Amino acid sequence: PNFSHITLNIFVCVLVFQYTRVWIPDPEDVWRAAEIIKDYKEGEPILYLKLEDETPLEYRIGPKDNALPFLRNPDILVGENDLTALSYLHEPAVLHNLKVRFTESNHIYTYCGIVLVAINPYEQLQIYGEEVINAYSGQNMGDMDPHIFAVAEEAYKQMARDERNQSIIVSGESGAGKTVSAKYAMRFFATVGGSANDTNVEEKVLASSPIMEAIGNAKTTRNDNSSRFGKYIQIGFDRSYHIIGANMRTYLLEKSRVVFQAEDERNYHIFYQLCASASLPEFKDLALSKCVNDSNQSSIFRIIASILHLGNVEICSERDGDSCHILKNDPHLAHFCQLLGVELEQMEHWLCHRKLVTTSETYVKNMSRKQAANARDALAKHIYAHMFDWIVEYVNKSLHTSSKQHSFIGVLDIYGFETFEINSFEQFCINYANEKLQQQFNQHVFKLEQEEYMKEQIPWTLIDFYDNQPCIDVIEAKLGILDLLDEECKVPKGTDQNWCQKLFDRLSSSVHFQKPRMSNTSFIVIHFADKVEYQCDGFLEKNRDTVYEEQINILKASKFQLMADLFQDTNKDSSISTSSSSKSSRVNVRASKPTPKVPNKEHRKTVGHQFRSSLQLLMETLNATTPHYVRCIKPNDEKEAFSFESRRAVQQLRACGVLETIRISAAGYPSRWTYPDFFNRYRVLMKKSDMTVGDKKLVCRNLLETLVKDPDKFQFGKTKIFFRAGQVAYLEKLRADKFRSACIKIQKTVRGWLQRVRYQKIRKSAINLQRYGRGYMARRYAEQLRLTRAALIFQKQYRMVRERRDYLKVRQYNKWFLVSAIYLPSPPPQFLLHHKAMIIQKHVRGWLTRRKFRRARNATITIQCAYRRMRAKRELKQLKIEARSAQHLKKLNTGMENKIVQLQRKMDDQVQSKNHGSTHVVEVHCSIRLVAYTMSGDGSQLTSLQDELEKLRAELQEAHTHMKKLEEKHSNEKMGLEQVRYQSLKGRKYIFFLQGYQESSASQSVGRVQAELDEERQRYQNLLREFSRLEQRYDNLQEAKVCFQPGHKRNNSTQSSLESDSNYPSISTLELGDTDDAIQVVEMGVEKAAMDIGVFMKLQKRVRELEQERKRLQVNLEKMEDQQESEDLAYNSLKRQELESENKKLKNDLNELRKAIADRASQNSSSNELQDGYNLLLGQLKAANEELEVRKEEVLILRTQIVSAAHQKEETTNQIILTAKSLVPLEVSALTLCGANSSCSVLFSSVNFFSLPPPLSSFLCLSLSLFVSLSCLAGGSKASDWGYLNEDGELGLAYQGLKQVARLLEAQLQSQARKHEDELAAFNTQIELLKDDIEKKQEMLNHTMSLSPEAQVEYSVQQEITRLTNDNLVRTLQPPTPYTLIHIIVLFIMSQKDLKELVEKLEKNERKLKKQLRIYMKKVPDMEGERPTKAKPQLTRQVTVQRREKDFEGMLEYYKEDEAMLVKTLITDMKPNAVSATVPCLPAYILFMCIRHADYINDDQKVHSLLTSTINAIKKVLKKNNNDFEMTSFWLANTSRLLHCLKQYSGDEAFMTQNTAKQNEHCLKNFDLAEYRQVLSDLSIQIYQQLIKVAEHMMQPMIVSAMLESESIPSLAGVKPMGYRNRSSSMDGEGPGSYTLEALIRQLGQFHSVMGEHGLDPEIAGQVIRQLFYSINAVTLNNLLLRKDVCSWSTGMQLRYNISQMEEWLRGKNLHQSGAVVNIEPVIQAAQLLQVKKKTSQDAEAICSLCTSLTMQQIVKILNLYTPLNEFEERVTVSFIRNIQNRLQDRNDVPMLLVDTKHTFPVLFPYTPSALSLETLHIPANLSLDFLTRV
């Protein structure tokens, strides 16, 4: 067609430049691409081109040659999924786009406006699964990639929206895939619109397809499964748009195939299936069981078998040739008659004869063999056609429904335009039907275009489109082809040649009819698609479809019921079916008497007439519906997979009307843009000033008026801009030029910057090189100058010396010559020679002597070095030996001195034993005073202590006796000590002699040793004197200790080092040479340390004994107190029980009184005085009752506090005693250390250490000890004081202990600071809680004000009781801290008396209230009279209930008749917000407490009834609220909590590991509810699945918009030209609003918060989020795989950003470990795949290693869908995709393209026991559960 040249010629001067790409005709490929290599000017005859293989071509242009070639579209538009989105709409562009999509991207579907073009791939594709149906369901047609499911969804949606019937018209030639496309469309309707009940109509609709294919499909030369009939299936829907039934209509079955098949073709499939199954006893493998029962199957097989036998009947000709006969005993005829139940003789006769009926006579005429064979074949065709119609009718009956049909969708699967070498009557009818369908298609397209223009208020101009009505008139008009054919059939002697001649005579003037040049038996019809030549032979016979009535009558009389039914009269059948349709599906009626025969008009109707009538009915049906078109294309005749032959494809494109659609679209304004899309796409062409205008429409108007000068090239609609053909390409060219210039400018700038940077680097390097080079040259030059100057100086000096020497020689010679001349004669020559030889000898001898001297000197030095080294080694060895021997002697001497010191200490101990007794007595007195102070108040212990003192005195006498023995022993040991000391001094003398043997003589060494010995003796005497002085001082300190009053404490860790195991100080060798004082200090320190240790150990032992005695007395005291307290508690418990029982009785009496008064008041309402009195009395009773309840609660609270205070007092006392005990040894140590220092005594006595906290007392004690030590050190001016005080390093240890204590106090200070901060934070939290409490109380107050006065009082009392109970619970559960313990003890001590007084007051008030109650009870009978009252039956175990009313055991009792009310209140009518402010899962806890009570009373019926009612009620609530996420989450939490409670309190040890002791007491006692736990577990799983379903349903419309379409990163997404589907009027206002990523995350957050508020386990909530993220991944990835417009780099960037935001949300909610991130890994990899490079083999390897979560099909699909948004981006090449496929062949991926959106992960309910105790649970009053009794 040349329609595109009209628009293209306008742009010749603009677009036909050099490098413009065009299409030129080609005899083989139809169209071929070329490029203009020279600018073309209008009027030139030749256009210079270059083909793709670089071959030059001169293309002639002119009126007689070729028109201007078609322009090619930009590469960015190649591969578009809608052909109308192409800028240039013409045949080569359409053909090339289809070829690119089919061969390179393997896309078989493409939109062309309202038409879906489907190319047969000849390969099974994984794009028709249920997950694909789910992906297309609910989506707009233009949003997804082209697909048959998209067309079906559009039809389904328009049916529901417009309430108008729809039709899907599937057409195409044989083998193009029409039947498969229709089948997939019906599968979509069956899946999406499945039946609401259990009729499974959709399955029957799908099951009818194999039946119809078996009897109506056959193998042809073009298709192995070609449909040889047309069918129109109406799928009916009800008002809910569920399938309720279907109906099928068939058109023009090819009956001739039953008896004749062309070469390489076959008969219908059913015959071959029957033959292949002939050996089987039953035919159940023919896929007919779903719609046809077994009996009808066997009947159909009998008819088919009879047709086969009839075809094999052999007819023999007689000799005359005018008659024929059938052989006797022909087996096939016999089988035929037997199968159909007809008479053999009659059928044999009438197969060879016929009857002629005239007005007067009837003749029987013989038939020739040919006529008989034709009659036989006609009978076979007739039988098969009737059987075919019967099967269709039977299928329709099975698909029929009694429900009222609201609307339907029809699927028309009809043959496409056909043209063969020999075209007969069947091809004529097929092409006639396609002419009618094409006319309807053209009118519909034209109508849609007109509606679009009118809607957008665009001036409408008449578009000249092709109308094929003249061609249709040639066929069906009066005296047309069909009329003339029917007329010729009526002529007795009519022939095909006569009919053909009539056609030539009548229709030769029509432009659509032609006569062939070389034939008189054929004619040509010019159809809309092509010229077709039809052969006239057989037209009349096929149109008549003659079958003899005698043969039909034989079949009517058949014994085979189905055969007789097939050939009943139509009128009878219709009447029968009408009258009996309401009773049965099929009723057989036969006449009892023969009736006169009526001429059968049905048999006289020709096939052409019938086909025209049915076609007219079809067109009326289609015109009453909204059509949707599917055009199937056969890509090649060899049936090769994804092979595209351009010649075959373009023939079908012309025939199916696709190009006509493009022509109609191109005649107007084919390109259409919405204002926002146009603004986003072409804003780069705008100026900065234009962008400031806020109105985008005005900006677009100004831009277009500036760019396109011709106003006819575009129109502004209400919402869109309309462009003429080629204008978008022009705008794209401007946009590309703008980008190109911008890119050039950017490249220029960048390259300039790079060159400048490079130049600057080079310049800087050159300067550096020059600088260094010049510096080097300068340095070289300077060096040269220096060297030159030096050389000159050297030369000058050398020349000067040389000249001077010459001068001196000359002068010497002159002098010598002068002297010689004057005094001597001239010397002889021999003399001169001798003189010179002497000079030489002198120098040589000097040199030899010097050399000899140097050698001798070097040898001497070497010898000296060797000798000195040898001597040094000897001296070193000797020194080592001496050092070792001297050191050994020193060590022996040290040991000897230590032993001397030890012996001296023992001697001094015996001397001082006299004073030991008195010192011991003083120490015992001090210890007694210390213990007496500790146990102040215990007078009974004084006597025992005095006795102990007497025992100590006796021990003192024994010590005196022992001291005398020690003195005797001391005198003996003293002599040995003198001998040892003499030996030691002798050894010392020898040591010092060895040390000085090299420096002095032997006499001097002896004198020095003697002097040293004298000094040692003097030092020893000094030490003895110092020891005496210190011993006296120690005695003074002991006396001062008696005056000291003990009171401080000291930790064990800070004790003095007197308890150290080392009693001797280490004496170094350097100290041996010190003064005598040092030795004396050491000896005295050792002795003193030994004495202190003995005293201290005895004191410690005594203290331990006293401590044990104190403990024994303390235990006795505690036993007495416990006995007294138990007696008081027993008395109080008895009294409390008595009061409680009396209270219960009074309460019951009060309730009865209240009921009686209420009943009487209702009867005597007329008495105002009685009513007033009743009201007054009732008010007083209520007040008294309320006051009584309040007092009872206060008594319980105070009693609890008393008990807890007693326990706390006991613990505090024990702690204080332990602390005091640990500090007693420290006090003794401090006293011992202080001694007689008066200031220390005063200091110690003035401090009461027991009044300080333990850490402070320890620190103070240690500080005072250190102070005393320092004072003692300061008091002495000699080194002896320091040696005494620092014995064993005690001061160092004390200092270290002080530092440790300081660190301890610092740590305590820091902990107190942190505790202060924690307390401050706790106070802030408490403030917030108080604010919340105030708000809750405000709400409670508002609720209370809305109640009646009585209800207000009860509600307030209940709230107060709950508050006090909760406070008591909190105080009980909180562990006491030390400070809290002390505080409680203080409060207990101060307020014990007040509490007792308060209890007494409460008891008095209680007695007063009881008296008032008795008075009221006496007045009640007077007011009530003798009228009896009816009360509920009393509960069992009333005593138990009364006793446990105050000791709540976590059980709730209810009456059996209140079970329905309980279930209704807690489940049926429960709203989640009603218990939002209480404990989570409160209904579950209440139900379990009721179950516990039923188990407690051993009532199995009550347990069974309650659990069954609970489960059923939960199911009903969930069924009623099946779309409410909050309700579903609420009951999932409660059901799982009830399940956990049944496990936690089941008594099974596996579930009791985390229980408290109280919770273990609450375990079930009588019943094992394991079966109910399993039922609840199954119910929880069902609720979880419903929760997932509801959440996914809520998120479904948000996912695609939020993840793929919303611009999270603004201005990143690009816009491409849209096709018709994206801009059609049927799409306006369709679909949900756009959602952003924030909305999706907000929805997820809402789900998570709701689950958290309802108390759902975090593990289950994590699994819900994981499942939702899987759904997000599946929907997002499926849409990505089905949408070409989102497979771009920018979408990948948006998607990665969106995923990062969702991961951030997961981390914020602490859900990143739930596995949700793993579920979105495929989408992450898909986003990365869109962004990575896709060129080289390295890129392919990177993609294969990156996309591990994607299958090979998904990777290849994304690469095929990848679409550059700009022409600067490169497409993915086919070779690269093939490389990817080859690399991924080894993967064992599941052959799956789309992700299963219905997949659900198995849920796991982890066991999570509750920490809440049932007895602490509070039931809010707003639940109205007053009928429950706390037990």
Side-chain angles (χ1 to χ4, degrees), residues 1221-1241:
K1221 182 177 67 176
S1222 63
L1223 294 177
V1224 167
L1226 297 176
E1227 296 169 10
V1228 177
S1229 174
L1231 290 171
T1232 306
L1233 188 62
C1234 284
N1237 194 328
S1238 60
S1239 61
C1240 296
S1241 301

Side-chain angles (χ1 to χ4, degrees), residues 610-850:
Q610 295 176 13
F611 183 73
R612 180 168 53 181
S613 300
S614 60
L615 186 59
Q616 185 63 32
L617 179 61
L618 174 64
M619 299 310 299
E620 292 176 358
T621 303
L622 295 179
N623 290 329
T625 62
T626 301
H628 305 268
Y629 300 96
V630 179
R631 298 294 192 240
C632 299
I633 303 296
K634 186 176 182 180
N636 60 83
D637 292 329
E638 291 76 18
K639 302 175 185 178
E640 295 180 359
F642 290 102
S643 177
F644 191 86
E645 295 180 5
S646 300
R647 297 186 66 184
R648 289 288 291 118
V650 79
Q651 290 175 0
Q652 298 172 73
L653 289 174
R654 293 168 182 171
C656 68
V658 173
L659 298 179
E660 188 63 22
T661 304
I662 294 174
R663 198 195 72 83
I664 294 175
S665 179
Y669 297 93
S671 301
R672 299 158 199 189
W673 288 77
T674 61
Y675 287 100
D677 292 341
F678 182 85
F679 178 83
N680 292 332
R681 180 71 178 176
Y682 298 110
R683 59 184 172 186
V684 296
L685 302 176
M686 303 175 187
K687 298 179 181 179
K688 187 175 181 181
S689 58
D690 297 335
M691 301 292 289
T692 57
V693 181
D695 190 1
K696 291 186 178 180
K697 289 186 179 181
L698 182 59
V699 175
C700 295
R701 285 175 179 270
N702 297 334
L703 177 64
L704 277 177
E705 291 173 355
T706 304
L707 298 178
V708 182
K709 303 300 181 182
D710 190 354
D712 186 56
K713 299 299 185 243
F714 59 88
Q715 290 289 340
F716 295 103
K718 293 177 61 178
T719 60
K720 303 170 186 175
I721 307 174
F722 292 72
F723 296 94
R724 293 282 189 188
Q727 290 301 314
V728 173
Y730 174 66
L731 293 176
E732 285 293 320
K733 179 180 180 301
L734 295 179
R735 184 175 180 271
D737 293 341
K738 185 73 171 179
F739 273 117
R740 186 175 290 106
S741 62
C743 289
I744 292 172
K745 189 172 184 179
I746 293 172
Q747 290 176 352
K748 177 189 67 174
T749 306
V750 172
R751 288 172 181 171
W753 176 77
L754 291 175
Q755 292 301 323
R756 282 193 297 272
V757 171
R758 182 171 176 271
Y759 166 74
Q760 290 175 358
K761 289 182 179 179
I762 294 174
R763 182 174 179 274
K764 184 177 181 181
S765 301
I767 291 174
N768 289 334
L769 289 175
Q770 290 176 355
R771 180 163 56 89
Y772 285 114
R774 289 169 181 170
Y776 173 73
M777 295 297 293
R779 285 191 297 274
R780 256 180 90 181
Y781 181 69
E783 183 69 17
Q784 185 180 2
L785 292 179
R786 285 195 295 270
L787 292 176
T788 303
R789 184 171 178 273
L792 292 176
I793 294 174
F794 289 157
Q795 290 176 358
K796 179 186 68 174
Q797 295 295 332
Y798 173 74
R799 290 169 182 169
M800 181 188 68
V801 171
R802 188 182 60 185
E803 293 298 328
R804 182 173 178 79
R805 285 178 180 174
D806 293 343
Y807 167 73
L808 292 176
K809 285 182 179 181
V810 170
R811 191 179 68 173
Q812 185 69 23
Y813 288 152
N814 292 334
K815 287 182 180 180
W816 183 76
F817 284 124
L818 182 60
V819 172
S820 298
I822 297 176
Y823 298 102
L824 294 177
S826 58
Q830 293 83 6
F831 176 77
L832 295 176
L833 294 174
H834 180 72
H835 178 70
K836 293 179 180 179
M838 289 178 63
I839 294 174
I840 293 172
Q841 289 175 355
K842 178 185 68 175
H843 288 286
V844 171
R845 288 171 182 169
W847 175 78
L848 291 174
T849 303
R850 285 192 299 273

Side-chain angles (χ1 to χ4, degrees), residues 167-179:
S167 292
I168 297 178
I169 302 172
V170 184
S171 63
E173 72 173 45
S174 179
K178 301 185 300 298
T179 304

Side-chain angles (χ1 to χ4, degrees), residues 1390-1451:
M1390 296 178 62
S1391 62
Q1392 186 174 8
K1393 183 178 180 181
D1394 296 336
L1395 290 175
K1396 291 181 179 179
E1397 293 177 357
L1398 182 59
V1399 170
E1400 292 175 358
K1401 289 181 180 179
L1402 291 175
E1403 290 177 353
K1404 290 180 181 179
N1405 195 6
E1406 186 178 2
R1407 289 193 293 270
K1408 182 178 178 181
L1409 292 173
K1410 287 181 180 179
K1411 291 180 182 179
Q1412 293 179 359
L1413 186 60
R1414 292 192 187 98
I1415 295 172
Y1416 294 145
M1417 290 296 294
K1418 292 178 181 179
K1419 295 181 180 179
V1420 167
D1422 300 336
M1423 300 175 62
E1424 181 180 0
E1426 298 298 327
R1427 182 174 177 270
T1429 59
K1430 184 179 180 181
K1432 289 186 178 181
Q1434 295 295 324
L1435 296 172
T1436 59
R1437 302 178 72 257
Q1438 185 175 3
V1439 176
T1440 304
V1441 173
Q1442 291 177 358
R1443 293 173 65 86
R1444 298 196 178 194
E1445 188 173 13
K1446 295 305 177 183
D1447 189 11
F1448 183 42
E1449 292 296 333
M1451 293 186 292

Side-chain angles (χ1 to χ4, degrees), residues 97-270:
N97 197 75
L98 291 175
K99 183 177 181 180
V100 169
R101 285 179 58 82
F102 184 71
T103 58
E104 296 183 6
S105 302
N106 293 344
H107 296 155
I108 65 172
Y109 293 111
T110 305
Y111 290 133
C112 182
I114 64 172
V115 180
L116 176 68
V117 180
I119 305 178
N120 192 346
Y122 291 111
E123 185 178 298
Q124 291 292 333
L125 302 180
Q126 303 297 326
I127 59 174
Y128 301 104
E130 187 175 354
E131 65 277 1
V132 183
I133 295 177
N134 296 329
Y136 276 90
S137 178
Q139 299 293 330
N140 290 330
M141 193 170 182
D143 292 343
M144 310 290 287
D145 261 11
H147 202 285
I148 185 64
F149 292 158
V151 177
E153 171 63 22
E154 182 73 5
Y156 185 79
K157 186 185 298 181
Q158 289 192 14
M159 177 190 66
R161 182 190 62 195
D162 302 336
E163 295 188 353
R164 179 179 171 87
N165 299 327
Q166 308 289 314
S167 292
I168 297 178
I169 302 172
V170 184
S171 63
E173 72 173 45
S174 179
K178 301 185 300 298
T179 304
V180 176
S181 297
K183 189 189 305 182
Y184 285 135
M186 290 189 291
R187 179 186 294 179
F188 181 87
F189 296 135
T191 304
V192 176
S195 57
N197 47 29
D198 297 332
T199 58
N200 297 327
V201 180
E202 66 276 5
E203 295 183 3
K204 295 181 181 179
V205 172
L206 296 178
S208 66
S209 295
I211 298 175
M212 301 309 299
E213 289 183 7
I215 63 175
N217 288 27
K219 179 182 181 300
T220 64
T221 56
R222 296 186 176 181
N223 187 10
D224 293 339
N225 188 29
S226 176
S227 298
R228 307 317 299 163
F229 69 102
K231 62 177 179 291
Y232 183 67
I233 302 177
Q234 289 184 353
I235 302 175
F237 296 86
D238 57 9
R239 289 190 174 273
S240 299
Y241 304 105
H242 294 292
I243 295 178
I244 59 173
N247 183 57
M248 184 188 304
R249 281 189 281 172
T250 60
Y251 304 94
L252 195 63
L253 176 68
E254 189 181 7
K255 295 184 291 183
S256 60
R257 185 170 293 272
V258 178
V259 296
F260 173 78
Q261 300 89 35
E263 186 179 359
D264 295 333
E265 291 191 0
R266 299 205 317 174
N267 206 334
Y268 291 105
H269 297 324
I270 188 64

Side-chain angles (χ1 to χ4, degrees), residues 299-313:
S299 300
I300 293 171
F301 296 148
R302 289 179 64 181
I303 295 174
I304 295 172
S306 67
I307 295 173
L308 291 174
H309 285 292
L310 181 60
N312 291 333
V313 172

Side-chain angles (χ1 to χ4, degrees), residues 1146-1205:
L1146 292 176
K1147 187 175 182 180
N1148 292 335
D1149 295 339
L1150 179 60
N1151 291 333
E1152 293 177 359
L1153 176 62
R1154 186 180 299 168
K1155 294 177 182 177
I1157 293 175
D1159 294 338
R1160 182 166 183 177
S1162 61
Q1163 292 181 358
N1164 302 326
S1165 59
S1166 60
S1167 176
N1168 294 331
E1169 295 179 358
L1170 185 61
Q1171 184 69 25
D1172 296 337
Y1174 160 75
N1175 292 333
L1176 178 62
L1177 180 60
L1178 185 62
Q1180 293 175 353
L1181 284 173
K1182 289 180 180 178
N1185 192 15
E1186 292 169 1
E1187 185 69 20
L1188 180 61
E1189 292 295 329
V1190 171
R1191 298 306 179 187
K1192 288 179 182 179
E1193 294 295 334
E1194 291 177 355
V1195 169
L1196 286 176
I1197 294 171
L1198 293 174
R1199 190 173 296 158
T1200 304
Q1201 292 178 353
I1202 290 171
V1203 173
S1204 62

Side-chain angles (χ1 to χ4, degrees), residues 924-1062:
V924 169
H925 274 289
C926 181
S927 299
I928 291 172
R929 292 188 63 187
L930 177 63
V931 174
Y933 181 81
T934 305
M935 301 298 298
S936 60
D938 298 335
S940 60
Q941 296 182 1
L942 296 177
T943 306
S944 61
L945 293 176
Q946 290 178 358
D947 296 337
E948 194 69 27
L949 181 61
E950 295 296 330
K951 292 180 181 180
L952 292 175
R953 289 177 179 174
E955 291 177 358
L956 183 61
Q957 294 296 330
E958 293 177 358
H960 281 294
T961 306
H962 183 67
M963 182 187 65
K964 293 179 180 179
K965 295 179 180 180
L966 291 177
E967 286 178 352
E968 295 175 356
K969 187 177 181 179
H970 171 262
S971 60
N972 297 327
E973 290 179 351
K974 193 171 183 180
M975 297 298 296
L977 180 62
E978 292 294 333
Q979 295 178 0
V980 170
R981 180 172 297 174
Y982 175 75
Q983 293 177 358
S984 176
L985 293 175
K986 187 177 180 180
R988 185 184 299 273
K989 183 190 300 180
Y990 178 69
I991 289 171
F992 286 106
F993 172 75
L994 291 177
Q995 290 179 350
Y997 78 97
Q998 292 180 352
E999 298 178 2
S1000 61
S1001 61
S1003 59
Q1004 292 177 351
S1005 298
V1006 171
R1008 185 175 179 180
V1009 169
Q1010 186 65 36
E1012 289 179 357
L1013 180 61
D1014 295 337
E1015 290 177 359
E1016 290 289 333
R1017 289 177 179 175
Q1018 184 65 31
R1019 187 182 300 167
Y1020 177 73
Q1021 296 297 326
N1022 294 335
L1023 287 174
L1024 288 178
R1025 288 194 296 271
E1026 183 65 21
F1027 173 75
S1028 300
R1029 188 184 66 81
L1030 291 176
E1031 185 179 18
Q1032 184 62 38
R1033 185 177 178 182
Y1034 176 76
D1035 294 338
N1036 297 336
L1037 290 174
Q1038 291 293 330
E1039 292 175 0
K1041 186 174 68 175
V1042 176
C1043 302
F1044 172 72
Q1045 293 182 359
H1048 70 281
K1049 303 177 183 179
R1050 188 175 183 185
N1051 292 333
N1052 292 333
S1053 61
T1054 58
Q1055 287 182 2
S1056 175
S1057 60
L1058 293 174
E1059 297 178 6
S1060 176
D1061 295 335
S1062 177

